[in-house]
Amino acid sequence: MKNIELRGSKLAFIDQNMLPHELIYVETDDYKVVAENIKSLSIRGAPAIGVAGAYAVAIAVLNSAQTDLQLFKKEFYDICDYIEVVRPTAVNLSWAVEKIRAQVDRAGVASVQELKDVVLEEAHRIYQGSIDESRQIGLYGSELVQEGSRILTNCNDGMLCAVEYGTAAAAWYVAKEQGKNVEVIACETRPLMQGARLTAWECLQNKIPVTVCTDSMAGYVTANKMADMVMLGADRIATNGDTANKIGTYMLARLAHAHNLPFYVVAPTSTIDLSIDHGDDIAIEQRSPSEVTCCGGKKMAPEGVNVLNPAFDITPGTLIDAIITEKGIVRAPFEPGKIAEHCNG
Ligand code: MRU
């Protein structure tokens, strides 16, 4: 099963807001619909929004009726500008759109058709790259997963955050293929419940024993030695290892540190932002207060109350034991240059 794929000139993707109740694919040839679905988290997870962003540009140019090359180029650049800012924290979205833009610039296209071909080819490369990377990440990540490992995680870092396999979940999927018995403890991930809705669903689909707990139970889980490690994904990693990931991740890192549990971040190198040296430079997406005040369609807080809703937090690199990418395992400490060398090597 693939989370996202191009069908002719339409993009098909699983509507993650319908899970776990219904497994529905949405098909569209309208890049603005893709953008709206990224914004509303029907398509979510760092690698997935990169792939969807790339294909959004592709369907926009494929379906354009423009015949004048200069006007078509302008349309293309405007579409790129529109899509790359739909979500700010995960670098994969702007990374993917920039890859397409750079490829068009490099190709020096001489016709409308050529521009369409270049964009489509690059979008396919990004898609295939995500599939290949996930598999490779899974192979490296599985080295850290032992027979019987109980893995505490946050949000969703499985197939639904990418095209196939995922990032951190790829490690336990591959470990399972290798014959290891693993268990997952999924923090529910308030306010949008990616852990309870998506990680739990994926684990059940893949016959991996999974236990859901509320985010506030993570202290109980770690203090009572109910997990052997914390393993999760990332939305943007600075060159010093500081990592933006779903809200609650920093709390898990502190708990792992306090209870001597290894804390692993698993992500493709496209999630590492070599232009950022420190987590303070990562923009944190602030989402609607209604996501916090409502739960299951029911109001949970009094009208007029002030609300916080940062979608991500920053875990300092000093709390991370290793970062696992498609290129291998980078172990702490993350002295200057180490992560960049890993990416460029
Ligand atoms: O807001 P979301 O659901 O898009 O947030 C996603 C996450 O924080 C994931 O943990 C992250 O993208 C992991 S996948 C490398």
Side-chain angles (χ1 to χ4, degrees):
M1 187 191 295
K2 293 201 169 48
N3 180 29
I4 301 171
E5 65 187 358
L6 198 66
R7 297 180 184 162
S9 59
K10 289 188 174 176
L11 185 65
F13 55 87
I14 294 177
D15 182 347
Q16 299 190 35
N17 284 325
M18 300 305 286
L19 286 171
H21 309 293
E22 280 180 275
L23 177 60
I24 293 173
Y25 278 89
V26 175
E27 271 191 29
T28 181
D29 58 8
D30 182 344
Y31 72 96
K32 289 195 174 166
V33 171
V34 178
E36 276 158 25
N37 278 277
I38 292 175
K39 187 87 204 155
S40 70
L41 270 57
S42 292
I43 310 170
R44 50 143 300 284
I49 63 176
V51 172
Y55 274 144
V57 178
I59 60 173
V61 299
L62 288 180
N63 294 309
S64 171
Q66 184 56 255
T67 52
D68 178 274
L69 180 60
Q70 290 320 312
L71 292 177
F72 190 47
K73 275 190 179 170
K74 177 165 182 341
E75 189 178 314
F76 161 73
Y77 288 119
D78 288 349
I79 290 162
C80 289
D81 293 348
Y82 179 88
I83 291 168
E84 72 182 345
V85 295
V86 170
R87 291 194 78 192
T89 302
V91 68
N92 306 61
L93 179 58
S94 54
W95 168 87
V97 172
E98 182 47 33
K99 261 182 102 68
I100 293 186
R101 203 191 270 119
Q103 191 62 18
V104 167
D105 292 345
R106 208 172 305 127
V109 292
S111 70
V112 165
Q113 189 54 49
E114 205 185 320
L115 200 157
K116 290 186 181 188
D117 293 344
V118 169
V119 168
L120 186 59
E121 223 173 84
E122 189 59 24
H124 280 326
R125 231 190 319 269
I126 289 166
Y127 165 85
Q128 191 55 49
S130 173
I131 293 173
D132 298 343
E133 279 161 13
S134 281
R135 179 75 199 160
Q136 202 52 47
I137 284 172
L139 286 168
Y140 285 120
S142 67
E143 292 175 18
L144 301 169
V145 177
Q146 316 305 327
E147 163 60 27
S149 283
R150 298 161 305 168
I151 303 161
L152 179 61
T153 194
N154 191 29
C155 198
N156 170 267
D157 35 37
M159 174 269 277
L160 294 166
C161 89
V163 178
E164 287 181 344
Y165 277 99
T167 59
W172 60 77
Y173 292 154
V174 172
K176 181 166 189 262
E177 285 169 16
Q178 292 165 345
K180 295 174 195 162
N181 291 299
V182 292
E183 279 177 43
V184 172
I185 303 166
C187 288
E188 64 177 359
T189 322
R190 274 279 287 151
L192 296 179
M193 312 298 265
Q194 291 94 328
R197 292 189 301 109
L198 309 177
T199 298
W201 179 80
E202 272 199 41
C203 284
L204 293 180
Q205 296 290 310
N206 289 284
K207 303 200 175 1
I208 291 185
V210 58
T211 303
V212 171
C213 65
T214 66
D215 304 321
S216 52
M217 291 171 191
Y220 176 92
V221 169
T222 48
N224 287 290
K225 308 209 175 319
M226 296 167 78
D228 302 301
M229 69 181 77
V230 177
M231 192 179 256
L232 33 69
D235 289 83
R236 194 182 292 239
I237 302 173
T239 57
N240 69 346
D242 289 359
T243 293
N245 190 48
K246 180 52 57 191
I247 194 76
T249 298
Y250 172 55
M251 186 173 72
L252 294 181
R254 283 274 168 220
L255 286 170
H257 191 68
H259 296 290
N260 287 318
L261 295 175
F263 186 90
Y264 299 128
V265 168
V266 191
T269 50
S270 53
T271 300
I272 299 175
D273 186 344
L274 295 178
S275 73
I276 286 186
D277 296 331
H278 198 278
D280 287 350
D281 298 331
I282 301 176
I284 299 293
E285 177 182 3
Q286 305 290 327
R287 294 184 63 86
S288 164
S290 65
E291 292 178 352
V292 173
T293 54
C294 291
C295 193
K298 206 169 164 215
K299 265 233 171 249
M300 291 292 168
E303 203 62 54
V305 73
N306 293 330
V307 173
L308 276 178
N309 193 11
F312 304 94
D313 57 26
I314 306 288
T315 297
T318 48
L319 291 178
I320 297 169
D321 290 289
I323 296 173
I324 298 94
T325 76
E326 76 281 7
K327 294 191 172 185
I329 302 176
V330 201
R331 291 186 189 269
F334 306 119
E335 60 264 21
K338 191 173 187 177
I339 291 178
E341 201 177 298
H342 172 81
C343 292
N344 296 325

